[in-house]
Amino acid sequence: MFRVDTSELLVVAIVALLFIGPKELPRVMMKVGRWVGQVRGYARHFTAGIENVIREAELEEMEKKWREENLRILAEHPADGNYPEPMPVMTELPPGDEQPDLPLEVPAAPDDDPTPPEQRPLP
């Protein structure tokens, strides 16, 4: 974001050590860290608010499109319209169409090993 190089950070650290001193430097760094955390929190809160506003605007736009589409469909297919009766659902086979005889069990695959399966070692 700010494109701070490591050499620039080193210069800032040395200058801070010279002007603030080694005794006060930890306390100052702690305050700076708190300020940075607060600024990040404010930025996070701000971006979350902006995202919520954008999301609400998108939802309103989608609801408008859905409402228009719903009105169009209702205009094409009114509730009091004369519609043909739907075809009945087939629940059984027609008369004369018998179900073919199917095997209920699949035959076992051919096995080349003459030992019974109970005596074979497990893989």
Side-chain angles (χ1 to χ4, degrees):
M1 185 166 103
F2 292 114
R3 296 196 182 264
V4 179
D5 195 18
T6 54
S7 61
E8 294 171 350
L9 283 176
L10 184 63
V11 169
V12 169
I14 291 173
V15 169
L17 184 62
L18 290 175
F19 283 108
I20 297 173
K23 191 174 183 180
E24 294 293 320
L25 189 61
R27 188 175 306 136
V28 170
M29 292 305 291
M30 189 169 56
K31 284 185 181 181
V32 168
R34 285 185 182 153
W35 287 341
V36 168
Q38 285 179 347
V39 168
R40 284 185 178 174
Y42 294 146
R44 195 176 318 117
H45 182 71
F46 178 75
T47 55
I50 294 295
E51 288 175 357
N52 283 339
V53 168
I54 291 172
R55 192 175 306 118
E56 288 175 5
E58 289 175 349
L59 284 174
E60 287 177 7
E61 183 179 330
M62 282 192 290
E63 286 178 359
K64 181 182 174 187
K65 287 180 183 177
W66 291 337
R67 203 174 307 115
E68 291 171 355
E69 185 68 16
N70 192 20
L71 290 175
R72 183 190 64 80
I73 291 171
L74 286 175
E76 287 179 7
H77 307 284
D80 58 350
N82 186 11
Y83 299 109
E85 198 64 32
M87 297 291 293
V89 178
M90 189 169 95
T91 57
E92 57 187 36
L93 288 174
D97 288 346
E98 295 298 322
Q99 187 172 5
D101 294 331
L102 299 175
L104 297 178
E105 294 181 9
V106 177
D111 194 2
D112 296 336
D113 193 1
T115 58
E118 298 84 23
Q119 296 176 358
R120 294 182 191 170
L122 292 175

